[in-house]
């Protein structure tokens, strides 16, 4: 029986792509890089820790990473974090889970304080029993962040479901030894992908999966 559900933030709870892509492009241009990037390249910017994002999406030299992180965080706090919205059905899902007595939490690679602020701006912070994000220096793995949330929830690992849209979420769930459910409406997994785990196409399908797992 599923007693708690942990959610990734970007691409799972909220479509934050506009603000992330805007801030990422703003950052590399401030660093003197002026070229066009494809949607596929920009999508690589969502999921990993911030420093790794700049390497995977823009092949940024490591000597520029410290400056990139500083520029990105400043601009994201100023403008980027305001460019997001909940995926359709998320608030209803959170309310339904709480009505069923299922605890909820967030485990995100967004900085800890930032993810809380974003949830507050979106009006859903009150629905979560635990919220954890990345540390200032980016030392925590996704598995580490999930483990911090697990400590808050107080449930057996086998009864805690991690829901996310990227391989980082799946690997984090594996490292933390909790079941995983993928979603294809975010930035990583695709409806037509071949995976050895379940991937659902919509927010309502998350609840359907949970109800099915409890039977």
């Amino acid at each position: 029986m599923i007693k708690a559900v942990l959610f990734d933030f970007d691409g799972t709870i909220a479509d934050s792509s506009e603000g992330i892509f805007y801030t990422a492009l703003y950052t590399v241009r401030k660093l003197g890089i002026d070229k066009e990037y494809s949607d596929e390249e920009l999508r690589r910017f969502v999921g990993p820790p911030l420093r790794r994002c700049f390497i995977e999406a823009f092949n940024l030299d490591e000597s520029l990473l410290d400056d990139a992180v500083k520029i990105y965080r400043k601009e994201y706090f100023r403008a980027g974090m305001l460019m997001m919205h909940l995926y359709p059905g998320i608030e209803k899902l959170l309310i339904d889970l709480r009505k069923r007595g299922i605890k909820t939490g967030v485990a995100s690679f967004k900085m800890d304080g930032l993810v809380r602020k974003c949830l507050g701006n979106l009006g859903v912070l009150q629905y979560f029993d635990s919220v954890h994000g990345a540390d200032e220096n980016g030392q925590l793995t996704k598995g580490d962040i999930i483990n911090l949330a697990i400590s808050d929830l107080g449930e057996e690992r086998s009864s805690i479901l991690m829901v996310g849209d990227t391989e980082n979420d799946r690997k984090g769930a594996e490292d933390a030894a909790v079941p995983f459910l993928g979603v294809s409406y975010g930035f990583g997994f695709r409806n037509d992908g071949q995976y050895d785990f379940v991937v659902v196409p919509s927010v309502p399908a998350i609840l359907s999966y949970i109800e099915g797992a409890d039977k």
Side-chain angles (χ1 to χ4, degrees), residues 102-142:
I102 297 174
K103 297 176 183 177
T104 54
V106 175
S108 170
F109 265 140
K110 260 184 165 45
M111 286 182 61
D112 194 82
L114 178 59
V115 71
R116 292 172 186 273
K117 190 168 182 62
C118 290
L119 289 166
N121 289 345
L122 293 167
V124 293
L125 180 60
Q126 71 273 19
Y127 298 124
F128 294 100
D129 301 288
S130 175
V131 177
H132 285 279
D135 56 312
E136 183 75 26
N137 299 316
Q139 297 299 306
L140 294 175
T141 67
K142 194 59 177 270

Side-chain angles (χ1 to χ4, degrees), residues 2-13:
I2 294 173
K3 295 183 178 180
V5 181
L6 283 172
F7 295 89
D8 176 49
F9 182 81
D10 296 308
T12 304
I13 290 175

Side-chain angles (χ1 to χ4, degrees), residues 7-9 12-15 85-100 102 104 106 118-128 185 202-204 206-207:
F7 295 89
D8 176 49
F9 182 81
T12 304
I13 290 175
D15 183 351
H85 59 270
L86 295 174
Y87 284 107
I90 281 291
E91 186 168 14
K92 182 179 184 302
L93 170 63
L94 295 172
I95 292 170
D96 285 344
L97 291 176
R98 295 185 78 81
K99 285 180 178 177
R100 287 167 168 76
I102 297 174
T104 54
V106 175
C118 290
L119 289 166
N121 289 345
L122 293 167
V124 293
L125 180 60
Q126 71 273 19
Y127 298 124
F128 294 100
Y185 58 77
S202 66
V203 172
I206 297 173
L207 184 59

Side-chain angles (χ1 to χ4, degrees), residues 2 4-8 11-12 93 97 146 160-174 178-185 189 195-213:
I2 294 173
V5 181
L6 283 172
F7 295 89
D8 176 49
T12 304
L93 170 63
L97 291 176
I146 293 172
I160 299 174
L161 179 69
M162 176 66 198
V163 180
D165 67 306
T166 70
E167 176 61 18
N168 290 286
D169 302 319
R170 188 210 63 77
K171 180 63 165 56
E174 179 180 73
V178 297
F180 178 71
L181 175 66
V183 299
S184 61
Y185 58 77
F189 303 130
Y195 307 108
D196 58 359
F197 50 90
V198 177
V199 176
V200 297
S202 66
V203 172
I206 297 173
L207 184 59
S208 297
Y209 175 86
I210 292 169
E211 290 174 335

